[in-house]
Amino acid sequence: MFQLGKTIVSEEIIKNDFVCNLSACKGACCIDGDAGAPVEEEEAKILEEIYPKIKPFLRKKGIEAIEKQGTSITTENGEIETPLIDGADCAYVTFDDKGTALCGIEEAYNQGEIEWKKPVSCHLYPVRVQDYSEFSAVNYHRWQICDDACSLGAELQVPVYKFVKEALIRKFGEDWYMELEKVAERIK
């Protein structure tokens, strides 16, 4: 672990390789698990505001889940998440003709309908950020369904922090990322 500004960062994001391999996992991270994607308070407001523009990109079941539960939900622990369809798929998931899970929010973004890509927690994955009162912890989340992404990352020699560069800059800023690169050079 090392400190960058008000973050404590796991060296695992530098030492481990990762490149999403959607052809292998079929987007399982969006349909497996027992909770929705973490959503920041400001993002919950954005989701509510842009939902009418996202709705045409969603599946019927996703629309039903969102209209029943809301564009985001607050758990018993007070955490905000994306709603789920029957306790499984994220309500914003769509599928391509090969059965690969995709993000309806991101598709609306790619089509120029909205200017917001998706929740930063999704954009950052496999990096997870836990905010505390004095600092944020930046960690690498290991999940068996991402084994193929680890293999592809190793083959291509892409460390986790480089794979999620755009998302890390979105979350912490360009200066923070440049400092991260300097630490990575020293560690490697």
Side-chain angles (χ1 to χ4, degrees):
M1 301 286 264
F2 58 92
Q3 185 171 353
L4 274 183
K6 292 190 175 211
T7 61
I8 304 296
V9 183
S10 169
E11 290 182 15
E12 288 190 311
I13 73 167
I14 294 168
K15 294 179 177 178
N16 290 282
D17 297 319
F18 192 98
V19 173
C20 277
N21 189 346
L22 283 176
S23 63
C25 73
K26 302 289 189 195
C29 62
C30 298
I31 55 177
D32 286 355
D34 54 6
V39 175
E40 296 178 359
E41 198 171 317
E42 185 60 35
E43 291 178 321
K45 294 174 188 169
I46 292 169
L47 278 171
E48 194 171 329
E49 183 181 306
I50 64 176
Y51 175 67
K53 292 181 179 181
I54 298 169
K55 186 176 176 179
F57 296 91
L58 302 177
R59 299 180 291 154
K60 184 177 185 238
K61 283 185 170 186
I63 293 167
E64 289 170 357
I66 291 166
E67 294 188 353
K68 182 178 179 185
Q69 300 171 56
T71 53
S72 62
I73 63 158
T74 303
T75 68
E76 292 174 5
N77 299 338
E79 296 171 352
I80 306 171
E81 301 175 350
T82 58
L84 299 177
I85 300 168
D86 300 324
D89 303 6
C90 172
Y92 294 101
V93 165
T94 62
F95 293 94
D96 68 10
D97 56 1
K98 294 177 186 160
T100 301
L102 302 172
C103 178
I105 302 166
E106 189 168 13
E107 187 56 28
Y109 171 84
N110 291 340
Q111 296 295 324
E113 295 297 322
I114 58 174
E115 295 179 9
W116 187 70
K117 190 168 190 160
K118 58 186 167 183
V120 74
S121 68
C122 301
H123 198 188
L124 280 167
Y125 200 78
V127 170
R128 284 287 187 223
V129 176
Q130 179 66 48
D131 293 319
Y132 297 96
S133 58
E134 299 295 318
F135 66 95
S136 295
V138 181
N139 292 297
Y140 170 52
H141 181 249
R142 293 178 191 275
W143 197 0
Q144 180 184 352
I145 63 173
C146 294
D147 286 351
D148 289 310
C150 297
S151 298
L152 182 58
E155 180 183 322
L156 299 174
Q157 297 182 328
V158 177
V160 172
Y161 79 96
K162 286 187 178 180
F163 175 71
V164 295
K165 176 181 179 177
E166 180 185 330
L168 287 169
I169 291 171
R170 176 180 167 195
K171 177 74 175 168
F172 299 112
E174 189 91 38
D175 291 342
W176 183 93
Y177 189 83
M178 289 189 319
E179 290 300 314
L180 175 64
E181 286 186 318
K182 291 175 186 173
V183 172
E185 286 302 313
R186 288 195 300 268
I187 288 175
K188 291 228 172 190

